[in-house]
Amino acid sequence: MNKKTLFPLLFGTAFQLAFPQLAQGQDQESKIAFLSDIHLQDVYANLGSEEFKGVFNPISGKFATIRTMKSQVNSTRLFNENYFAFLSALEDLKDKGIQLVVLPGDFTDDGQPMNVLALKKILDRYSAESGMRFFLTTGNHDPVNPFGGLAGKKDFLGTDGSEQAIAGAKELFPSDQVAISDQINYWGYSEITGALKNFGFFPNEKDLFWAHPFQELDVDNYKFKKATNEATLENRVYELDNSGLFLPDVSYVVEPIDGIWLLALDGNVYTYSGSEWKGSSQGFNQAAFHKNHQLDWIRKVSAEAEKRGKILISFSHYPLVEFLEGASEEMKSLFGPQKLQLERVPTSETSKQYAKAGIRVHFAGHMHFNDTGIYKDQTTTHTMYNVQVPSLAAFPAAYKTLKTSNSSTLEIETIPLTEVDHMNEFFDLYRMEHRWLLEKKDPGIWESSILESKDYLDYTRNHLLELTKSRFIPSDWPQNLALLLQNLNQKELLEWSEMNENESEDFLQKKLKKLQISKNQTGARPNIIDDFYLLKNGDELGKKLIPESRTAFYEELMPKVNQKSYSPDQKLTREFIQFFGIFEKLYHSNPSDHFSIDLKNNTIKKIED
């Protein structure tokens, strides 16, 4: 055996352990996890309040600082159990040996000190114990206000099952019994990024390269010390619309391992009314205008990455491509442009700008959806894939992993969180709340069956069912359409699908009148509206939960509805045809569960497990 053969055998493993970045190489498999919309709230926080320290939980022996179940079932996110879901996801990553972890925004629930510091403690622990590296970008629930300020919430669970208000000052809720705590105030950019400085927002000695939009992109002469000196927030501000007001932009690009560039885009947009700052949830539709300096920087970064053969993966809290399978315009027509969070859908012009700037693969959160969106311009010169990472605080609770061993093929897998330890730790406290609501005959009482959930998948599914009933249908749906869809059975819908125009409208109108005067509306679950939200929010993950008997029914019904027509005065028929057209687009979606993207040939392919 010669020396050339002997050297790697003796020293290869030691070399890789000592210099993992240099040993990585582009031909070696790289794995990155994406955990979005954690909305972390410290469920056992030290409020430092004389008036309220939490609700004693006999199961843990600690004082719980949790929100009511009533508030959870009226919110698009959980506030409490997602704390344990986050820990379960990190344990899963530790078992899988995945060490690069991206958090695309809303990593806390409103950026209060107690929540930011709880997140820091968890990330520090997994960094120290498992060698994980975390890379964060801000969401609209992190710096709610760019410079922080007084804040409070009325919906914490009180000691008797009622709601307990907690605020930074009494004047926020003058008519309530308020517990005063500075831990509930808003932190701004400076405090949040300062506490979480080791997680991407600033240069780290472990990285091969790091830069932000307001400095020269000088890869060849990169020096950690110089980058650190230039990375202060004072050097990372932009002027808001020639107003003389300056805001931070904590975007950055980092090379944590050889060959991979992570591009973190701070898509938060704020406006100033003259007395206070207000954040927006619309994302890049507004950022493209108010923060257009980012587009120039993205062009430079993408060109540099291509020149150097780097895999460029961008991530932000906000999506860059339409995430409703091309059905958003039909949804606006049927439900209204302000319903179903449709104002958050990126326009084709927005997608075009960022695709043209050089982004090809983008991971986003914000919507709490599982989805893959594809933008292609008319010349097919620019193609961009938008991967929607689900929330850990809502259905479908899941995270994504990206695996690649070369610069042209990416494998993306969605990992559902089915089992979560300690998921039911607060259920007895919720039962106390439920008894209190019953005694007070509160109209906001929730279905106690959610406490019978067998696992986290079942729990988040039941949360979505309750949310659909209590909030989505009353606020977003045409009343008559919802009433009919909740009560027509499969046989009646198939009969309707084969009727001519006049028969169709007459059938629906007669059925509607009976339902309006009847006290025996079934509203039987599961129904088509529930399946609609399974598809809209869960995509392929949701489709798996629809029984075969119902998928067979949909596959028989949808082609028949496609053949139907209506006249302008046939409102119900029009709404039904529009709805099932939307339903069909969601049903036949792009791959979103386990798939590969070939950047060389601009193709996406489902991977059958």
Side-chain angles (χ1 to χ4, degrees):
M1 185 178 293
N2 60 36
K3 291 182 179 180
K4 284 186 177 181
T5 307
L6 182 61
F7 182 82
L9 286 176
L10 290 175
F11 301 105
T13 302
F15 179 82
Q16 290 178 9
L17 289 173
F19 303 101
Q21 296 160 334
L22 299 178
Q24 178 73 36
Q26 281 186 234
D27 292 332
Q28 187 171 330
E29 186 175 85
S30 303
K31 291 184 179 180
I32 307 170
F34 296 81
L35 280 61
S36 190
D37 292 85
I38 299 159
H39 288 282
L40 188 80
Q41 176 182 280
D42 191 347
V43 294
Y44 290 113
N46 180 4
L47 297 172
S49 171
E50 295 181 2
E51 299 86 1
F52 180 70
K53 59 181 177 180
V55 182
F56 183 72
N57 187 4
I59 291 178
S60 63
K62 296 185 286 187
F63 287 88
T65 49
I66 60 174
R67 314 275 278 283
T68 63
M69 178 61 79
K70 180 182 175 181
S71 67
Q72 292 199 123
V73 298
N74 284 282
S75 170
T76 56
R77 63 191 186 278
L78 297 169
F79 299 118
N80 305 323
E81 284 67 37
N82 44 306
Y83 179 91
F84 302 115
F86 181 43
L87 295 178
S88 290
L90 293 177
E91 284 296 308
D92 195 35
L93 293 177
K94 183 172 73 173
D95 293 341
K96 288 181 168 69
I98 298 177
Q99 293 190 314
L100 297 181
V101 184
V102 169
L103 308 184
D106 282 4
F107 43 76
T108 64
D109 204 62
D110 291 346
Q112 302 98 331
M114 62 185 240
N115 297 335
V116 175
L117 295 176
L119 178 70
K120 179 183 184 301
K121 184 177 180 180
I122 293 170
L123 299 188
D124 282 340
R125 171 188 157 197
Y126 280 88
S127 298
E129 294 180 0
S130 306
M132 289 184 185
R133 302 284 318 284
F134 295 94
F135 299 92
L136 280 58
T137 190
T138 52
N140 57 305
H141 280 279
D142 298 312
V144 174
N145 183 310
F147 303 108
L150 283 174
K153 293 186 183 296
K154 291 185 175 184
D155 58 0
F156 279 85
L157 183 63
T159 55
D160 62 351
S162 63
E163 290 187 337
Q164 171 65 56
I166 304 175
K170 170 66 178 175
E171 57 264 29
L172 286 178
F173 307 129
S175 61
D176 294 277
Q177 293 294 321
V178 181
I180 306 302
S181 173
D182 61 2
Q183 291 300 299
I184 202 71
N185 287 331
Y186 292 144
W187 264 1
Y189 270 92
S190 178
E191 296 90 347
I192 292 174
T193 60
L196 304 174
K197 62 183 178 182
N198 293 328
F199 308 117
F201 289 122
F202 297 95
N204 190 302
E205 285 183 290
K206 296 178 181 179
D207 298 320
L208 300 175
F209 177 67
W210 188 99
H212 64 73
F214 306 98
Q215 66 181 150
E216 184 182 358
L217 195 68
D218 189 358
V219 183
D220 292 326
N221 298 305
Y222 176 73
K223 295 290 187 295
F224 167 71
K225 186 175 181 180
K226 183 174 183 291
T228 300
N229 291 336
E230 295 178 350
T232 62
L233 284 191
E234 291 80 4
N235 293 327
R236 299 162 69 182
V237 296
Y238 67 99
E239 185 177 7
L240 179 64
D241 306 332
N242 299 314
S243 63
L245 300 171
F246 291 84
L247 288 169
D249 178 347
V250 291
S251 301
Y252 61 90
V253 62
V254 62
E255 185 172 10
I257 57 175
D258 185 26
I260 302 286
W261 278 17
L262 297 175
L263 176 62
L265 298 176
D266 177 0
N268 283 351
V269 172
Y270 304 90
T271 55
Y272 190 67
S273 64
S275 59
E276 61 181 0
W277 289 96
K278 184 177 179 181
S280 168
S281 64
Q282 294 189 27
F284 286 105
N285 285 338
Q286 291 195 350
F289 175 75
H290 294 288
K291 303 175 84 169
N292 57 16
H293 62 272
Q294 285 185 357
L295 283 163
D296 293 332
W297 182 62
I298 292 168
R299 293 184 192 99
K300 295 175 185 177
V301 171
S302 60
E304 197 71 24
E306 184 176 7
K307 181 178 74 174
R308 295 172 182 274
K310 308 293 183 181
I311 304 172
L312 180 65
I313 305 296
S314 80
F315 67 95
S316 174
H317 186 56
Y318 304 98
L320 279 172
V321 177
E322 196 260 12
F323 42 75
L324 294 166
E325 306 300 336
S328 58
E329 291 304 315
E330 291 95 326
M331 286 185 180
K332 289 177 183 178
S333 174
L334 177 59
F335 297 99
Q338 303 301 316
K339 303 295 186 180
L340 300 177
Q341 302 183 84
L342 289 168
E343 71 277 4
R344 296 181 171 187
V345 176
T347 65
S348 58
E349 179 59 31
T350 295
S351 300
K352 178 182 179 180
Q353 289 184 75
Y354 287 88
K356 193 174 180 180
I359 291 180
R360 303 190 67 189
V361 178
H362 181 73
F363 284 79
H366 194 40
M367 299 310 304
H368 302 182
F369 289 173
N370 178 48
D371 179 73
T372 306
I374 306 172
Y375 168 81
K376 291 186 178 182
D377 64 15
Q378 294 179 344
T379 64
T380 68
T381 303
H382 303 290
T383 302
M384 181 167 60
Y385 298 89
N386 184 89
V387 180
Q388 281 301 127
V389 184
S391 170
L392 297 186
F395 176 86
Y399 66 88
K400 301 264 185 184
T401 61
L402 179 149
K403 181 170 65 176
T404 183
S405 57
N406 60 65
S407 60
S408 64
T409 303
L410 309 176
E411 180 182 341
I412 298 166
E413 187 172 4
T414 311
I415 314 296
L417 286 179
T418 302
E419 301 286 344
V420 167
D421 290 340
H422 302 282
M423 181 202 80
N424 59 356
E425 189 159 309
F426 304 125
F427 280 19
D428 283 344
L429 299 182
Y430 298 142
R431 292 184 179 99
M432 176 182 68
E433 175 198 343
H434 196 266
R435 290 192 297 271
W436 188 90
L437 292 170
L438 279 174
E439 290 172 4
K440 301 299 180 182
K441 297 181 180 179
D442 192 298
I445 194 165
W446 37 271
E447 293 286 346
S448 60
S449 58
I450 193 172
L451 302 181
E452 298 170 8
S453 302
K454 63 182 184 295
D455 53 32
Y456 197 61
L457 171 62
D458 195 32
Y459 183 60
T460 54
R461 174 76 180 99
N462 287 332
H463 173 258
L464 179 60
L465 285 172
E466 187 71 14
L467 184 61
T468 300
K469 181 182 73 172
S470 66
R471 175 173 163 178
F472 291 157
I473 292 176
S475 65
D476 289 345
W477 283 71
Q479 185 177 5
N480 293 338
L481 174 64
L483 183 60
L484 285 165
L485 288 174
Q486 287 176 296
N487 287 276
L488 289 174
N489 61 39
Q490 292 183 8
K491 180 181 178 183
E492 289 172 318
L493 283 168
L494 286 171
E495 289 175 354
W496 167 81
S497 70
E498 295 174 347
M499 296 175 182
N500 63 36
E501 284 185 21
N502 292 328
E503 289 175 330
S504 292
E505 186 70 12
D506 186 56
F507 171 81
L508 294 176
Q509 291 289 353
K510 286 180 178 178
K511 184 69 177 178
L512 179 62
K513 287 180 182 179
K514 288 182 180 180
L515 289 170
Q516 288 172 335
I517 62 175
S518 173
K519 295 183 179 179
N520 298 313
Q521 299 170 10
T522 62
R525 292 182 180 273
N527 60 53
I528 292 172
I529 295 178
D530 294 326
D531 290 345
F532 168 82
Y533 282 103
L534 281 178
L535 294 173
K536 185 176 76 71
N537 292 21
D539 204 272
E540 290 183 329
L541 296 182
K543 189 175 182 180
K544 289 178 181 179
L545 298 180
I546 301 176
E548 286 186 18
S549 60
R550 295 213 298 276
T551 58
F553 160 66
Y554 294 136
E555 287 168 6
E556 180 181 1
L557 176 70
M558 288 184 293
K560 293 181 178 180
V561 177
N562 283 339
Q563 303 302 313
K564 292 181 71 64
S565 59
Y566 60 89
S567 57
D569 60 331
Q570 295 174 333
K571 186 174 185 293
L572 289 178
T573 301
R574 172 181 61 80
E575 288 182 350
F576 262 65
I577 292 174
Q578 282 184 309
F579 170 76
F580 282 109
I582 293 166
F583 192 96
E584 184 173 27
K585 285 190 173 182
L586 297 176
Y587 189 89
H588 297 295
S589 63
N590 294 318
S592 64
D593 182 5
H594 192 187
F595 58 99
S596 64
I597 295 174
D598 184 338
L599 294 174
K600 184 177 181 180
N601 296 305
N602 279 335
T603 58
I604 183 171
K605 181 180 180 182
K606 180 179 175 66
I607 297 175
E608 300 289 350
D609 294 320

